[in-house]
Amino acid sequence: TSIPNEFDFDQYNSYEDINAQLQDFTDKYSSLTTLIKIGVSHESRDIYAIRVGSAGTNKPAIFLEGQIHAREWIVSATLLYNIKFLLEGYGTEDRITKLMDEVDFYFLPVANPDGYVYTRTTNRMWRKTRSGPIDGCYGVDPNRNWNDHFGDPGASNNPCSDTYHGPSAFSEVETKSLSNWVLENGKNIKAYLAVHSYSEMWMSPYGWTRDLPPDYEDQNDLGGKAVSAIREVHGLNFKHGSIADVIYVTSGNSADWAYTEAGIKYAYAIELRDKGRYGFVLPPDQIKPSAEEFFAALLVVAEHIAIEFY
Ligand code: PAY
Ligand code: ZN
């Protein structure tokens, strides 16, 4: 028995309501979903992902890492809509049905729940985790805390900085448990989408250097197809290219780790809407359009890995 929850797809929801909605999806679509507990946050919140796809073994998979940065609210909102689009499309739209038979999607809507709750209660512009304090300051940038070129240029060693990399790689329980889960359960993951906001970009490795990786051409080709699909929906022009070229040098980020350490060929860091007019505080009437354009790109990536890794 499921109690109707308060979740509203066209609003920004509380962490509780997001989890209730994930539970709701698994109650309603039990044959197409699995709820997965990835870990427990510093402040003891359970961290959930949901697998979406029809039954099958050895399917290539896409992992979507959502809202590792607390203030990027459009990310979880976009991902929740995308789960709904997939589940409602199964059996009603041929393209979606076929993809869900061929590919598994793992959505982690809120990778940093302590930070997210803090942005709702105390400081809307909080970015980091809530560990600490160290030198009187709380939090580590969870997108500088991964064990790939940890502590190199593009991260701060100042605990009070918004890009503080932390005392050691995977010092944060959130990045530690997520990376462990990916290594232990992610043998079939062929695409890792680290979803952020804002700036409208679809970026591939590396972040830590402007040198380009061996798979750059394939990664950037698929990135180009993803941004074309986005453009066709509401006309937005996302930039694509390497993280270091398109935005800036950033070390210890999850996309570099997913590619280099976990061996996931199609690792991306994606910046959703907008280009800065509203920035992190994107009005809720943009949730649905953001979700629609992102979904078009997600289908393109899924179709590609279904073919390349069949
Ligand atoms: O996502 O790996 C990436 C690229 C680098 C991002 C980062 O600094 O971690 C880019 C920023 C982000 O989404 O966190 C961009 C936003 C607008 C910011 O906070 O500066
Ligand atoms: Zn971010």
Side-chain angles (χ1 to χ4, degrees):
T1 57
S2 68
I3 308 150
N5 66 57
E6 304 282 299
F7 193 88
D8 181 344
F9 284 92
D10 295 302
Q11 297 294 334
Y12 298 112
N13 295 274
S14 69
Y15 187 59
E16 267 187 334
D17 287 345
I18 290 171
N19 287 338
Q21 182 56 44
L22 294 179
Q23 183 64 57
D24 216 49
F25 282 136
T26 54
D27 292 343
K28 241 196 213 120
Y29 300 95
S30 54
S31 64
L32 295 174
T33 55
T34 317
L35 195 63
I36 300 161
K37 189 169 144 182
I38 298 276
V40 179
S41 73
H42 177 73
E43 293 175 351
S44 305
R45 293 183 177 89
D46 289 339
I47 302 172
Y48 291 109
I50 186 172
R51 183 197 62 84
V52 178
S54 62
T57 45
N58 268 323
K59 295 161 78 185
I62 301 184
F63 191 94
L64 295 101
E65 170 211 284
Q67 214 171 328
I68 205 163
H69 286 143
R71 62 194 175 189
E72 299 168 7
W73 289 13
I74 187 61
V75 174
S76 55
T78 294
L79 296 186
L80 265 289
Y81 244 126
N82 274 247
I83 299 166
K84 176 182 161 78
F85 291 156
L86 285 173
L87 293 173
E88 290 179 351
Y90 192 80
T92 63
E93 288 181 48
D94 289 348
R95 186 182 177 205
I96 294 173
T97 307
K98 185 168 183 284
L99 266 183
M100 287 170 68
D101 286 338
E102 292 173 352
V103 174
D104 277 327
F105 299 79
Y106 292 95
F107 290 86
L108 169 53
V110 184
N112 172 13
D114 298 349
Y116 181 49
V117 170
Y118 195 71
T119 62
R120 291 181 60 92
T121 59
T122 312
N123 177 356
R124 176 65 182 83
M125 284 301 160
W126 193 257
R127 165 179 166 101
K128 300 190 284 180
T129 60
R130 290 296 301 162
S131 60
I134 301 177
D135 294 351
C137 290
Y138 285 88
V140 162
D141 184 342
N143 204 33
R144 300 291 184 279
N145 190 239
W146 295 66
N147 193 17
D148 182 81
H149 293 273
F150 175 82
D152 276 7
S156 173
N157 59 15
N158 173 2
C160 300
S161 163
D162 247 358
T163 57
Y164 175 47
H165 50 51
S168 59
F170 294 139
S171 58
E172 303 312 282
V173 67
E174 295 83 3
T175 54
K176 175 86 193 148
S177 45
L178 172 53
S179 60
N180 278 342
W181 189 88
V182 169
L183 291 177
E184 283 163 21
N185 305 282
K187 311 283 171 279
N188 295 324
I189 298 175
K190 304 301 177 190
Y192 187 100
L193 312 186
V195 191
H196 291 250
S197 74
Y198 59 91
S199 292
E200 301 177 4
M201 297 163 173
W202 195 287
M203 300 175 288
S204 53
Y206 297 121
W208 71 273
T209 175
R210 296 190 68 162
D211 293 351
L212 300 173
D215 293 306
Y216 179 72
E217 205 182 318
D218 285 359
Q219 293 162 331
N220 189 46
D221 276 357
L222 184 55
K225 287 175 186 150
V227 307
S228 299
I230 289 174
R231 190 179 313 117
E232 280 167 31
V233 180
H234 295 294
L236 297 191
N237 281 301
F238 278 49
K239 276 191 202 153
H240 64 99
S242 82
I243 298 167
D245 276 342
V246 172
I247 188 162
Y248 40 60
V249 169
T250 142
S251 59
N253 70 81
S254 65
D256 283 354
W257 179 89
Y259 176 58
T260 304
E261 311 298 332
I264 300 170
K265 179 175 174 184
Y266 293 101
Y268 296 100
I270 297 150
E271 300 291 337
L272 302 179
R273 293 181 174 216
D274 59 7
K275 280 194 150 81
R277 177 171 178 198
Y278 296 104
F280 303 112
V281 191
L282 197 67
D285 64 1
Q286 293 200 39
I287 294 172
K288 192 165 190 206
S290 170
E292 289 166 342
E293 66 207 8
F294 183 77
F295 191 59
L298 180 60
L299 295 185
V300 164
V301 172
E303 278 165 352
H304 184 89
I305 68 160
I307 292 165
E308 186 172 330
F309 300 100
Y310 177 68

